[in-house]
Amino acid sequence: MIKKETKYIIVTGGVLSGLGKGIAAASTGHLLSSRLKIVPMKLDGYLNTDPGTMNPIEHGEVFVLDDGGEVDMDFGHYERFLGVRCKFDWNITMGKVFAEIRKKERRGDYLGKTVQYIPHVVDLIKSKFYEVAKKEDADIMLIEVGGTIGDIENELYIEAVRQLKTEVGDKNILFMHLTYVPVPSGVNEQKSKPTQQTVNLLRQRGIQPDILIARCSEYLDDSIRKKISVFCGVEEEAVITGVDVDDVYKIPLIFEKQGLAELIHKKLGIYSPPDLRLWETLLHNLENLEKDVTIAICGKYTKLEDSYASIIESLMHCSAHTKHKINIVWVETTDVEEGNQSIKKKLEGVDGIIVPGGFGSRGTEGKIEMIKYVRENNIPFLGICLGLQLAVVEYARNVCEMEGANSTEIDPTVLYPVIDILPEQREIEDKGGTMRLGAYKAVLKAGTLAYDIYNSEIVWERHRHRYEVNPEYHSKLIAKGLIISGRSEDGKLAEFIEVKDHPYFIATQAHPELKSRLQEPAPLFFGLVKAAIQFKASKEEQ
Ligand code: GLN
């Protein structure tokens, strides 16, 4: 068998952070993915092993993979745009790199040598690219270098990809650089200087970009493309506009219109005709929404939408399939506790609510009040992870007459600990990477709403939690009508709960939002949106 030659696409970013490098990389991958195996890798400069110990306010949502890896939101884009299931090894962080270097040094792998950034650290980084490429039998490795060129943090990665070019040969590697073309107000002219400067920074490090993606509020004028081409040594046709869009799913189409797949074909000699038909249909739906429906998300990080990125994505996926615009209302539940606004007022015009995952006690009483209100008023409800736990607390307090029931995460000495720490979590001291993480199997009970929604007995969803419904309370809750509609394979953990005689009241210990795709919305979200549409219609009839 002829050994496959893996090709490498390296994506770097310049000028500013937050220009959408992850989306640009994922969109490029999308164009090539119809016939090729694209494996995305992300290189992060921070010294944490992974983002699992970071605050979502600082770093956005922590995305969880099937194998239990905690990674950043960009992996969500890769999974959604490339249709792949990513692995923890596909994320390199300086935390992981240095931990391995230290281990190797202690073991004596470098005996007699001075351990140095070059060659040792950079070689280790490159070895990770090769390992993953081989293990996955990748046609293309799509490597996104985190941060902005010039950051101290990513210099070793930049050196690694520079050396990679010499090792794999010019015809097997392509450098794509994301830059920014401002149109300053008052000047009203597209400006190329930041792009010239960022490309100079790359060249100083020995890298000449092959393709530039210029983020801009409008398509680049021919004259500015020519200027960028001349100053940056990039062919004019390889200066692509990453024009501002209201919806990131349009980016693959925008790139394709400008010939990106063909440019890559020319440089790497590898082709996979972009198949954008389904994508185009769904985008067409999104542009032609017929009605609207309103979903409230009740959380404590509501000021930072990135903390709930996959939930917002999941709703958008439902929007494309129901042709309904989904208005999202953010409800800060700490306000509810402070009695600033009555729940009724907050939920005016709301057709369904989501209580998402979370940690700690802040805002939980407000969420419990919300859940009570929607349970009693037949408003569609989806609880996710902490959302399930608080739904159980609410039910215990208000239906099972267990006054003051709570989770021991919130009140460690509570009389009715209906939510308690998982037994295997009790002895754990390290905080990083130790939750119940990754995809777990659940068995759904026939005849329940969960079974109906998934249309299957077995489901696999991803988890990230330390607490669970206390098994000692299962029978008491069931006796008062709570339905445990899905359990872990061994029957011990309550993975899905629901209540009787309610149009849509369901919660899961998992995070179904992590597996939602534009082509296939997560079933629990799809169910919620459909129930919300019905709820709205029944209100209008009255
Ligand atoms: N804090 C809860 C737990 O650890 C819920 C976690 C979550 O919502 N992801 O179990």
Side-chain angles (χ1 to χ4, degrees):
M1 199 175 83
I2 304 168
K3 211 174 140 288
K4 182 155 80 184
E5 223 174 7
T6 301
K7 311 275 178 176
Y8 293 82
I9 297 179
I10 312 296
V11 183
T12 53
V15 189
L16 320 162
S17 62
L19 291 178
K21 190 152 34 76
I23 294 283
S27 300
T28 305
H30 183 82
L31 294 181
L32 306 169
S33 62
S34 70
R35 298 221 189 118
L36 299 172
K37 177 150 190 206
I38 317 288
V39 176
M41 276 189 103
K42 167 107 193 276
L43 319 181
D44 285 304
Y46 49 73
L47 291 168
N48 304 60
T49 305
D50 57 48
T53 50
M54 296 182 202
N55 188 331
I57 294 189
E58 210 168 284
H59 196 74
E61 167 186 79
V62 177
F63 196 81
V64 183
L65 304 174
D66 275 349
D67 66 8
E70 293 174 291
V71 289
D72 76 13
M73 289 164 49
D74 278 333
F75 281 89
H77 302 317
Y78 299 148
E79 289 207 342
R80 291 186 284 261
F81 278 64
L82 299 175
V84 286
R85 295 283 169 85
C86 296
K87 298 184 183 156
F88 193 40
D89 285 352
W90 302 359
N91 185 205
I92 306 182
T93 64
M94 277 299 160
K96 287 184 185 173
V97 170
F98 284 116
E100 198 167 329
I101 290 281
R102 295 282 302 143
K103 200 165 130 202
K104 281 160 88 70
E105 186 271 336
R106 290 290 84 187
R107 201 166 56 198
D109 290 13
Y110 307 117
L111 228 46
K113 302 244 168 51
T114 308
V115 184
Q116 294 181 301
Y117 290 128
I118 301 172
H120 304 105
V121 178
V122 168
D123 279 355
L124 185 101
I125 296 169
K126 282 183 295 175
S127 74
K128 300 288 167 201
F129 304 157
Y130 296 133
E131 263 168 41
V132 174
K134 190 162 169 233
K135 201 157 129 198
E136 302 298 334
D137 198 22
D139 290 308
I140 294 184
M141 296 288 294
L142 185 66
I143 301 179
E144 178 189 346
V145 184
T148 307
I149 188 80
D151 292 348
I152 286 183
E153 296 205 315
N154 63 24
E155 294 288 5
L156 292 169
Y157 293 136
I158 297 289
E159 175 60 13
V161 295
R162 185 192 69 79
Q163 291 185 13
L164 191 66
K165 178 171 174 174
T166 327
E167 292 178 15
V168 302
D170 188 43
K171 69 179 195 328
N172 291 323
I173 191 164
L174 179 152
F175 289 93
M176 204 163 129
H177 189 59
L178 182 70
T179 162
Y180 179 52
V181 174
V183 186
S185 59
V187 183
N188 280 342
E189 197 187 303
Q190 299 171 356
K191 290 294 190 186
S192 70
K193 190 72 80 194
T195 300
Q196 296 175 39
Q197 288 173 338
T198 180
V199 170
N200 272 339
L201 287 176
L202 260 184
R203 285 168 159 174
Q204 281 165 18
R205 287 158 178 79
I207 294 172
Q208 168 62 45
D210 300 294
I211 294 175
L212 290 174
I213 307 281
R215 180 76 194 270
C216 188
S217 54
E218 50 196 46
Y219 277 96
L220 298 190
D221 298 338
D222 285 346
S223 60
I224 203 91
R225 278 177 74 187
K226 190 172 244 123
K227 192 168 172 188
I228 290 175
S229 163
V230 170
F231 278 95
C232 302
V234 173
E235 284 169 32
E236 227 177 293
E237 58 171 12
V239 182
I240 305 264
T241 310
V243 74
D244 287 358
V245 282
D246 49 358
D247 177 352
V248 294
Y249 287 88
K250 289 182 184 157
I251 301 283
L253 307 176
I254 285 169
F255 283 179
E256 185 43 18
K257 241 182 24 207
Q258 298 174 73
L260 182 60
E262 184 51 30
L263 280 171
I264 294 170
H265 176 204
K266 266 197 348 210
K267 171 81 196 338
L268 295 179
I270 193 164
Y271 194 58
S272 163
D275 181 0
L276 297 165
R277 282 167 301 177
L278 179 59
W279 207 260
E280 271 169 342
T281 311
L282 293 167
L283 278 169
H284 180 262
N285 285 357
L286 283 172
E287 277 168 4
N288 294 282
L289 300 174
E290 287 157 3
K291 291 182 179 166
D292 70 336
V293 67
T294 303
I295 303 284
I297 302 179
C298 310
K300 73 170 174 185
Y301 306 121
T302 53
K303 298 224 164 49
L304 215 112
E305 295 189 7
D306 272 0
S307 319
Y308 300 112
S310 293
I311 291 184
I312 300 171
E313 285 285 333
S314 305
L315 290 174
M316 212 269 282
H317 303 158
C318 296
S319 190
H321 289 261
T322 56
K323 288 200 167 187
H324 274 68
K325 177 177 188 301
I326 299 180
N327 308 311
I328 297 180
V329 173
W330 296 96
V331 178
E332 183 66 43
T333 44
T334 43
D335 290 359
V336 178
E337 284 170 14
E338 287 153 11
N340 286 353
Q341 264 179 311
S342 77
I343 295 181
K344 191 167 176 210
K345 186 134 185 281
K346 282 217 174 223
L347 295 185
E348 229 165 68
V350 166
D351 308 305
I353 84 161
I354 295 173
V355 174
F359 293 84
S361 59
R362 197 168 68 84
T364 51
E365 284 303 318
K367 288 181 193 166
I368 294 167
E369 286 298 307
M370 287 276 179
I371 296 170
K372 177 171 187 272
Y373 186 86
V374 298
R375 183 176 56 76
E376 290 177 345
N377 290 282
N378 288 331
I379 301 174
F381 161 78
L382 171 61
I384 296 171
C385 202
L386 180 69
L388 171 139
Q389 298 173 358
L390 297 179
V392 170
V393 167
E394 188 279 316
Y395 203 81
R397 286 185 190 177
N398 301 316
V399 180
C400 307
E401 292 166 1
M402 298 181 204
E403 205 186 319
N406 216 334
S407 161
T408 52
E409 180 184 10
I410 298 161
D411 181 357
T413 58
V414 64
L415 184 60
Y416 300 111
V418 288
I419 306 296
D420 199 9
I421 193 149
L422 286 153
E424 66 270 25
Q425 290 282 327
R426 280 184 202 281
E427 306 305 320
I428 292 174
E429 283 177 7
D430 283 356
K431 292 276 180 270
T434 57
M435 285 189 240
R436 180 169 180 251
L437 289 166
Y440 283 91
K441 190 183 198 175
V443 183
L444 305 183
K445 199 169 160 190
T448 60
L449 178 63
Y451 191 99
D452 210 39
I453 289 169
Y454 279 97
N455 196 19
S456 164
E457 191 192 353
I458 304 295
V459 295
W460 287 85
E461 292 286 12
R462 296 177 182 173
H463 293 68
R464 182 170 190 258
H465 64 119
R466 290 188 204 282
Y467 292 80
E468 59 159 339
V469 183
N470 187 343
E472 284 177 25
Y473 286 87
H474 282 187
S475 54
K476 293 188 185 94
L477 293 161
I478 292 169
K480 290 281 184 184
L482 189 81
I483 300 164
I484 298 183
S485 47
R487 290 175 182 262
S488 56
E489 206 178 3
D490 61 8
K492 288 188 181 150
L493 306 181
E495 298 281 36
F496 292 81
I497 63 123
E498 50 199 75
V499 300
K500 282 197 198 106
D501 304 326
H502 190 290
Y504 196 89
F505 188 102
I506 189 161
T508 174
Q509 191 56 78
H511 287 273
E513 69 276 21
L514 300 176
K515 279 172 60 178
S516 190
R517 303 278 181 274
L518 179 61
Q519 303 88 319
E520 202 182 348
L524 289 182
F525 282 84
F526 203 18
L528 174 77
V529 171
K530 286 193 276 192
I533 291 170
Q534 270 183 12
F535 178 81
K536 187 175 179 193
S538 64
K539 266 193 315 192
E540 283 165 0
E541 271 167 25
Q542 281 166 16

